[in-house]
Amino acid sequence: MKRSGWVAWLRLLAGLGILVALVWHLGSQAFLDGLRRIDTATLLAALGIGLLTTVCSAWRWCLVARGLGLRLPLGRAVADYYRALFLNAALPGGVLGDVHRAVHHGRSSGDLGRGVRAVALERTAGQVVLLVTGAVVLLVRPSPVLAPVVRFLASPAVALSVAAAGLLVLAVAVRLRRRRGASRGERALRTVVAEARQGLLAHGVWPGVALSSAAVLAGYLGMFVLAARVAGATAPTAELVPLVVLALLAMALPLNVGGWGPREGVAAWAFGAAGLGAAQGLTTAVIYGVLAFVASLPGAAVLLARVSPLSTARPATSGAVPLQAERPPLAAATGMIRQRAAEVPSAVAGGVRSQTSQATAARGDTS
């Protein structure tokens, strides 16, 4: 098995391990409570919030793609984004839908590499806004959860890792500026940097990207707060927001099974540290996971609508020769004309042969 396959399996096992540990320590009642508390009104609210976040995300994708010189209508972007969200939620890993979206748009636009980079930049913009907002919320809003987080971030190991990463980025930047005849990797890096400027930092792009990313984040926060209310949390919204931000940040970790795993673990820990109970945090995360899946269900309709015409257009058996009656009228008429034209020389030749044979027979009789 290739290295990428092993990494994917390790990520899935890590997500499953988190879920198994939560069930072991908190029991399965928190999962069942989350499923029982969801009603029709909650599902409709999730669909409405999902529509808002999906349209804003698709708009952000359109802005980035157009900044890179790719054509992407908003209606098509919304449909493709819905399909990607459904595949992310239904398939392991949580990113396969985005991979499909990137490859499909790249191939349809005639530039696979640029299409993939457009999706990568669009997702990166959302994560950057989430990180910045999360850092601001955790620093401004006092919370019992903030103390261990600050201690972790201020630890020597984290400080050394950040310093080493900063020095590495600085060294790479200096090397790229000094060298003109660069290798293939350096040219690729320069291309990524240049396209990041065009797709994210251009004057006509970054305001829309920032606004759409803020709207998407507000939608995620609203759905998580809704899940907390359905789970029975009575704490003020200002107290819930830091906990929700931590759970959303955990979702960015590539150690999940269709989005499940780190989100539930961090929510249980954060709610427990805030005095709201780890079981309630787990129930909130479970409800959020169900609501997020329901919000992505329109993507299943998009997937079926785009697959079914292709399947019905294919012939029943491979290699089957189409019947004459199935030809278009113009093609059928043209074929008949060609057939008649081919029959004329044959008829003429046949007549000549017939006359020749009769003459020969007559000469034989006279002799």
Side-chain angles (χ1 to χ4, degrees):
M1 184 181 294
K2 295 182 179 181
R3 181 180 178 181
S4 59
W6 283 110
V7 172
W9 277 107
L10 289 176
R11 291 175 178 176
L12 293 178
L13 292 176
L16 288 174
I18 295 174
L19 295 176
V20 169
L22 291 173
V23 174
W24 181 267
H25 288 285
L26 301 177
S28 61
Q29 191 64 31
F31 288 90
L32 299 178
D33 287 342
L35 297 177
R36 281 196 295 261
R37 289 174 178 268
I38 300 175
D39 55 7
T40 304
T42 304
L43 296 179
L44 293 177
L47 286 173
I49 296 174
L51 177 62
L52 171 66
T53 57
T54 304
V55 171
C56 291
S57 299
W59 178 39
R60 180 177 62 195
W61 183 24
C62 289
L63 292 173
V64 175
R66 292 168 186 172
L68 297 182
L70 300 177
R71 182 179 179 272
L72 182 60
L74 181 60
R76 176 189 167 186
V78 172
D80 288 352
Y81 218 103
Y82 258 123
R83 181 179 57 188
L85 290 175
F86 174 74
L87 294 177
N88 285 342
L91 298 177
V95 295
L96 296 180
D98 290 326
V99 173
H100 180 268
R101 172 167 62 100
V103 173
H104 181 266
H105 179 233
R107 288 178 175 174
S108 63
S109 61
D111 194 334
L112 178 59
R114 189 171 296 181
V116 171
R117 291 190 292 272
V119 172
L121 289 175
E122 181 265 326
R123 297 296 297 164
T124 301
Q127 295 299 323
V128 168
V129 171
L130 174 60
L131 290 173
V132 173
T133 304
V136 172
V137 169
L138 293 177
L139 292 176
V140 172
R141 179 66 187 177
S143 175
V145 185
L146 184 60
V149 173
V150 171
R151 285 197 300 268
F152 171 76
L153 295 178
S155 61
V158 174
L160 290 177
S161 300
V162 172
L167 291 176
L168 180 61
V169 171
L170 181 61
V172 171
V174 171
R175 184 178 181 183
L176 289 178
R177 289 183 63 87
R178 288 181 177 178
R179 293 186 58 180
R180 294 300 179 184
S183 63
R184 180 181 300 178
E186 293 175 345
R187 290 196 300 268
L189 183 57
R190 285 195 182 121
T191 301
V192 171
V193 173
E195 290 184 345
R197 293 175 181 173
Q198 297 173 1
L200 295 179
L201 303 178
H203 293 289
V205 175
W206 73 264
V209 170
L211 180 60
S212 58
S213 300
V216 171
L217 180 56
Y220 291 159
L221 292 174
M223 186 174 292
F224 228 121
V225 172
L226 173 64
R229 296 306 183 198
V230 174
T234 58
T237 303
E239 184 178 346
L240 291 175
V241 168
L243 313 180
V244 169
V245 167
L246 288 175
L248 290 176
L249 290 173
M251 291 175 60
L253 298 176
L255 306 172
N256 58 78
V257 183
W260 296 76
R263 176 184 60 208
E264 285 70 28
V266 172
W269 165 76
F271 274 67
L276 302 179
Q280 190 173 80
L282 178 57
T283 303
T284 299
V286 170
I287 294 174
Y288 177 87
V290 174
L291 297 183
F293 180 75
V294 170
S296 69
L297 284 181
V302 174
L303 187 64
L304 292 176
R306 294 191 175 180
V307 170
S308 55
L310 297 178
S311 59
T312 56
R314 294 175 182 172
T317 56
S318 59
V321 179
L323 298 176
Q324 182 73 19
E326 295 179 353
R327 292 182 179 179
L330 181 59
T334 306
M336 292 176 65
I337 293 173
R338 291 176 179 174
Q339 182 178 2
R340 298 304 182 193
E343 290 175 359
V344 171
S346 300
V348 173
V352 172
R353 285 194 298 269
S354 177
Q355 294 176 1
T356 304
S357 61
Q358 291 177 2
T360 303
R363 288 195 298 270
D365 293 339
T366 57
S367 62

